[in-house]
Amino acid sequence: MKRDNLRFLLIGTLGSLLLQLLAGQFGILGMLLSFLVPVPLAYVAMRRGLLIGCGSALLACGGMQMLGGLSAMLAFATQFALPAMIVAGLLRRGVPWDRVLLYGTLGLVSLASVALLIYSQQSGVSLPSLVDQYLQGEVTSALKLADQGNLNAEQAESFRSAIQQMGTFLKGTFPAWVALVTAVMLGLQVVFLGRLARGGYRIPGAPLSGWKAPEMLIWPLILAGFGVLLGDGAVRLVALNGLVLLLPIYFLQGLAVVSFFFGRKEIPSFMRGFGYLLIAVLNPLPIIVTGIGVFDMWADFRKPRQKKSDR
């Protein structure tokens, strides 16, 4: 038993540290890898309990302090170790996975908001100014890619214009994007924990193919859509934030419909994975799948259809 615990401690610690180190080396791919950093820690907590999971998280935090100092350790603890323990702790208590995403996102965003508010008061810099400084730094880094890439003058100018417009959009919808990115990171943990379970534990809640968003959410979505089309100023800004939060929920419901038909047609697992990847990255598939999720509220694509009997 002690050997098993030690083995899992090392798996969680070394796995998360390795992913974190790799994430810093591969640019955009590294950003995607960073979403997986909490997975080894959450896996250990699911397999061996929260005590061993917390021990692995503490060891990983200690490793980050040795590698990058106190600031790196604090960033690792809040961005990766804490979310991993929240996800594993809620799942082990039998909370359905969709509520884990909801509760985890609300808790982490609330904690981050309080931390930012305290930092703002101590530093004398307002919250909007902190957000502006962060986004401007990201825009500047992105603009450097135009100078370093093999782009002609026209392409470089188009790239710069697109980045500036994206920066303006993110500035207005920053709260919603923070919540969305947090939910995506927690969701990826649930997905990978499900793939790694192999009978060692269970993920509570409905399978993806049977999942549906609460019906009441369709009305805020409709109101947000009208707010973006017809509103102005603060009304339009609130509506944009609402769409950023609500449309991914219906994208997930569209994925659930796709998953249902994958299962119905007995599509092999590797082909399903490839299909999900295409849906995520190949335009206009994300828009189409989101539309399927929205209209599933009325069409109920997964409802059993009665075949007409021959007369």
Side-chain angles (χ1 to χ4, degrees), residues 11-293:
I11 288 174
T13 302
L14 297 179
S16 60
L17 286 177
L18 179 60
L19 286 170
Q20 173 68 357
L21 292 175
L22 290 174
Q25 303 296 323
F26 291 104
I28 296 178
L29 178 60
M31 182 182 68
L32 298 177
L33 280 175
S34 68
F35 281 93
L36 305 182
V37 172
V39 172
L41 301 175
Y43 173 72
V44 170
M46 291 296 292
R47 283 295 305 269
R48 308 304 297 182
L50 282 178
L51 182 61
I52 301 299
C54 289
S56 184
L58 288 174
L59 287 174
C61 289
M64 282 306 302
Q65 183 169 9
M66 294 175 61
L67 293 171
L70 180 61
S71 60
M73 184 272 288
L74 291 175
F76 182 90
T78 54
Q79 293 178 17
F80 304 123
L82 180 59
M85 294 305 102
I86 289 175
V87 168
L90 291 174
L91 290 175
R92 286 180 62 86
R93 291 178 64 87
V95 178
W97 62 267
D98 53 351
R99 294 192 179 187
V100 170
L101 302 190
L102 175 62
Y103 299 157
T105 300
L106 289 175
L108 290 170
V109 171
S110 299
L111 181 62
S113 300
V114 171
L116 278 176
L117 184 60
I118 294 173
Y119 178 79
S120 173
Q121 292 178 342
Q122 292 181 346
S123 64
V125 181
S126 65
L127 281 176
S129 297
L130 287 174
V131 173
D132 286 347
Q133 291 173 11
Y134 170 76
L135 290 177
Q136 188 57 49
E138 294 299 312
V139 168
T140 301
S141 299
L143 290 176
K144 289 180 180 178
L145 295 176
D147 299 328
Q148 297 172 357
N150 296 322
L151 302 177
N152 59 41
E154 184 178 353
Q155 291 173 332
E157 184 60 30
S158 298
F159 182 79
R160 291 191 187 95
S161 177
I163 292 298
Q164 294 289 358
Q165 291 176 5
M166 180 61 70
T168 302
F169 175 72
L170 289 176
K171 181 180 177 180
T173 56
F174 188 76
W177 281 106
V178 170
L180 178 59
V181 170
T182 302
V184 168
M185 182 182 67
L186 299 181
L188 286 174
Q189 286 188 62
V190 172
V191 170
F192 279 88
L193 287 174
R195 300 298 296 176
L196 294 170
R198 297 181 180 180
Y201 52 83
R202 58 180 290 271
I203 304 296
L208 177 61
S209 60
W211 185 83
K212 294 188 72 172
E215 293 184 2
M216 60 177 291
L217 286 182
I218 195 64
W219 299 112
L221 179 70
I222 293 172
L223 288 175
F226 278 113
V228 171
L229 291 174
L230 305 177
D232 194 13
V235 172
R236 189 172 190 274
L237 194 60
V238 171
L240 275 173
N241 278 271
L243 286 182
V244 170
L245 288 173
L246 291 170
L247 285 176
I249 295 176
Y250 287 97
F251 174 74
L252 182 61
Q253 178 153 332
L255 277 183
V257 174
V258 172
S259 176
F260 172 80
F261 284 102
F262 277 171
R264 188 173 178 179
K265 300 297 184 181
E266 299 182 349
I267 304 297
S269 296
F270 75 94
M271 291 186 65
R272 295 187 196 190
F274 183 67
Y276 293 139
L277 179 62
L278 289 180
I279 288 171
V281 302
L282 186 63
N283 280 327
L285 291 181
I287 298 173
I288 293 173
V289 171
T290 301
I292 291 173

Side-chain angles (χ1 to χ4, degrees), residues 1-14:
M1 183 67 70
K2 291 183 177 179
R3 285 187 177 181
D4 285 343
N5 289 340
L6 179 60
R7 179 165 60 89
F8 277 98
L9 277 172
L10 292 176
I11 288 174
T13 302
L14 297 179

